[in-house]
Amino acid sequence: MTTTAETTTTAAEVVTAFFDAYNRHDVDAMTELCSDNADFSYIPFEVWGKQRVIRGDGTVGTVGKVLWSGLINSFPDLFNEVHTLDANDHDVVVTCDIGGTQQIAWGPIAAQGKKFSEPHLFLFHVDGDGRIDGIRAYWNGAGINRQLGHLEVD
């Protein structure tokens, strides 16, 4: 929570500003709301390559910013609709839908012009300076793949 003589920024306000920036596709503003080494974990995200697996774990600056930019490029009408936001002094839980229409490939998913909209659960931690220092997110990756027409068979 950031406090000055004139304002107090709550964890809920910081996270609300984050989702507002996300809806504007302003990845720089999203990143600026986070601490320099904010933890980032998109639990279901992974892309299998021939010799490695890329997972959605790291920091906001190294993994989060790249994933957000890629999503916005692949889904130019990407949106989030926040349904609930529950917060205490430092922890914020958000339920929302994220969706859009795919225009270019996203990882292994070829663009077919299909839309997706999938419920997400986000867990944020906001430090004492009013900066997000942890983001975790969960969703049904199979649901997104199905909506985009991407069915994998091993």
Side-chain angles (χ1 to χ4, degrees), residues 25 40 43 56 58 62 64 77 84 87 101 106 109-110 117 133 135 137 142 146:
H25 299 173
F40 180 88
I43 308 302
T62 60
D77 64 347
T84 64
T101 308
W106 171 242
I109 305 173
S117 181
D133 65 359
I135 302 173
R146 188 171 42 257

Side-chain angles (χ1 to χ4, degrees), residues 3 8-10 18 20-21 33 36 58 69 85 89 100 125 133-134 139 146 150-151 153:
T3 305
T8 300
T9 304
T10 67
F18 175 89
D20 289 346
L33 289 165
D36 289 342
S69 296
L85 187 148
D89 288 344
H125 186 268
D133 65 359
W139 64 88
R146 188 171 42 257
H150 179 73
L151 304 174
V153 178

